[in-house]
Amino acid sequence: MSVEKAPFGKLTDGREVDLYTLTNENAMCVRITNFGGIIVSIEVPDRDGKMADVALGFDSIEGYENTHPYFGALVGRCGNRIAKAKFTLDGKTYTLAANNDVNHLHGGLKGFDKAVWAAEKIEEANAVGLKLQYTSVDGEEGYPGTLKCTVEYRLTNENELKIEYFAETDKPTPVNLTNHSYFNLKGQGEGTILDHVVYLNAKRFTPIDETFIPTGELRAVAGTPMDFTTPTAIGARIHADDEQLKNGKGYDHNFVLDGDGLSLVARVEEKTTGRVLEAYTMEPGVQFYVGNFLDGTLTGKDGKVYEQRYGFCLETQHFPDSPNHPDFPSIVLKPGEQYHTETVYKFSAE
């Protein structure tokens, strides 16, 4: 097992960023940059031992510094959307950047995905990894409180990529951290993910309006195209005459998870390679997104063009727009409390 550090180029403001390569005893390899805590690549074997990179992204830092759909990025201070870019906390209304039509998305104009994180290697008996730290100052992107964040990535010999999130604040503030990796188990750029078979441990989801904001309802998936409690191909029902699929332009919804503690919440299988991805989390929700807005205008690693639905996301999270829905699980972190959550992506082949 090893952790290797190499230069990954310079940002336009002259700051240098690095690329860390984590390799386990099975030759599984994960590359992470301290710019945005971005997972640049994940190389895993298929059923015949053939390696492929199953994470969408770019070959160089320039792609990540430009506008892109959060490939592999750490997302914060609040992942997902906040309606009309406003929320009220302790009687005070805070205004955020409206960077997704009228709504606030993924932390704003310069969220955690655009920060340079302090990095140090993790070397343990059964894991290698990267410890990333970033302090978001009071008022950054409109959020109250100075938030000290730590994210720890670990690659284990069980082909698990573990992500642990920690945060502390000096004022009450909403916090909802996640990772926004796009996966294609055939290999990045190797075609559509519509034939990937998905299981979600969720009997309910949060319906959305035309602006992707939850209505507040927790709706049963039974009898709808949102039901993945039985493994189903992504493309099996994606074109159904369904209001929610129309609102989301496909699947782009938060599912209410039925797990307790760190538990299995999703399983995705790609039949031609045999690759399997299992997701475990402590979070109450997962945003299942299937690359509806990819449109062939982005060229990723190895010159691969990313067409619509060439990648899927499993963004473990609290629910979107939680600050404006008091009935949703709270994302408010208070002084003296520690934010802590963990997500695991485990890869195998059958």
Side-chain angles (χ1 to χ4, degrees):
M1 306 184 78
S2 64
V3 188
E4 296 180 357
K5 174 183 175 182
F8 197 46
K10 287 185 179 181
L11 302 175
T12 53
D13 64 9
R15 286 181 297 171
E16 296 182 350
V17 294
D18 298 310
L19 186 67
Y20 293 81
T21 300
L22 319 180
T23 307
N24 71 6
E25 292 179 354
N26 308 314
M28 179 178 166
C29 176
V30 178
R31 293 181 177 87
I32 303 167
T33 175
N34 62 324
F35 178 68
I38 291 169
I39 297 172
V40 173
S41 65
I42 303 173
E43 295 179 11
V44 294
D46 67 5
R47 66 166 63 93
D48 299 318
K50 180 182 178 182
M51 304 295 288
D53 180 0
V54 298
L56 277 62
F58 301 105
D59 287 317
S60 66
I61 195 61
E62 287 78 16
Y64 294 109
E65 193 172 15
N66 295 330
T67 300
H68 69 95
Y70 302 93
F71 287 142
L74 290 180
V75 173
R77 188 173 300 195
C78 280
N80 220 304
R81 293 172 176 85
I82 295 178
K84 296 182 173 55
K86 291 182 179 180
F87 68 90
T88 300
L89 180 60
D90 294 338
K92 182 177 179 179
T93 298
Y94 295 88
T95 300
L96 311 171
N99 61 322
N100 184 244
D101 193 16
V102 298
N103 302 318
H104 178 79
L105 177 66
H106 292 331
L109 299 175
K110 288 188 177 180
F112 290 5
D113 61 297
K114 298 296 184 186
V116 177
W117 295 63
E120 59 183 89
K121 298 178 182 180
I122 296 173
E123 295 174 298
E124 297 171 347
N126 190 45
V128 289
L130 191 64
K131 180 179 180 178
L132 298 172
Q133 293 181 299
Y134 175 69
T135 298
S136 174
V137 298
D138 188 10
E140 183 174 281
E141 289 294 319
Y143 289 97
T146 294
L147 188 74
K148 295 182 178 180
C149 301
T150 299
V151 178
E152 295 179 355
Y153 288 107
R154 283 177 174 83
L155 174 62
T156 74
N157 284 325
E158 286 71 46
N159 286 4
E160 300 165 320
L161 179 59
K162 296 185 175 184
I163 312 175
E164 270 193 286
Y165 306 83
F166 305 87
E168 296 178 348
T169 184
D170 61 357
K171 293 181 183 177
T173 188
V175 184
N176 189 19
L177 306 181
T178 191
N179 178 274
H180 206 302
S181 287
Y182 289 65
F183 304 102
N184 186 324
L185 299 180
K186 297 174 185 173
Q188 63 93 21
E190 293 297 325
T192 177
I193 46 82
L194 291 176
D195 53 355
H196 286 50
V197 175
V198 175
Y199 161 78
L200 296 176
N201 185 22
K203 298 184 182 69
R204 296 174 296 168
F205 74 107
T206 52
I208 55 174
D209 64 19
E210 297 86 350
T211 70
F212 297 85
I213 294 297
T215 63
E217 178 187 0
L218 305 183
R219 184 181 297 177
V221 301
T224 78
M226 300 292 162
D227 190 351
F228 288 92
T229 57
T230 298
T232 304
I234 292 171
R237 300 166 304 199
I238 200 168
H239 299 297
D241 184 13
D242 179 84
E243 177 195 51
Q244 284 302 303
L245 289 175
K246 292 175 181 176
N247 286 354
K249 317 299 181 191
Y251 296 108
D252 192 359
H253 294 78
N254 171 68
F255 286 77
V256 180
L257 298 173
D258 294 323
D260 183 22
L262 184 64
S263 57
L264 177 70
V265 296
R267 185 182 189 275
V268 185
E269 182 181 1
E270 202 286 302
K271 300 287 188 180
T272 62
T273 64
R275 290 191 183 95
V276 174
L277 169 59
E278 294 175 322
Y280 300 76
T281 192
M282 298 165 60
E283 289 295 291
V286 63
Q287 187 82 7
F288 179 49
Y289 172 58
V290 296
N292 306 315
F293 293 103
L294 298 177
D295 59 5
T297 59
L298 290 175
T299 299
K301 290 172 286 186
D302 303 322
K304 300 290 179 65
V305 175
Y306 296 147
E307 303 286 354
Q308 187 184 47
R309 301 189 176 123
Y310 266 40
F312 69 90
C313 302
L314 294 168
E315 304 159 58
T316 56
Q317 59 176 16
H318 274 56
F319 305 167
D321 198 30
S322 287
N324 295 313
H325 290 275
D327 292 338
F328 286 179
S330 175
I331 63 169
V332 175
L333 182 68
K334 298 177 180 179
E337 298 176 343
Q338 184 178 70
Y339 177 98
H340 173 243
T341 187
E342 182 176 3
T343 291
V344 179
Y345 296 112
K346 183 173 183 177
F347 296 88
S348 59
E350 293 184 349

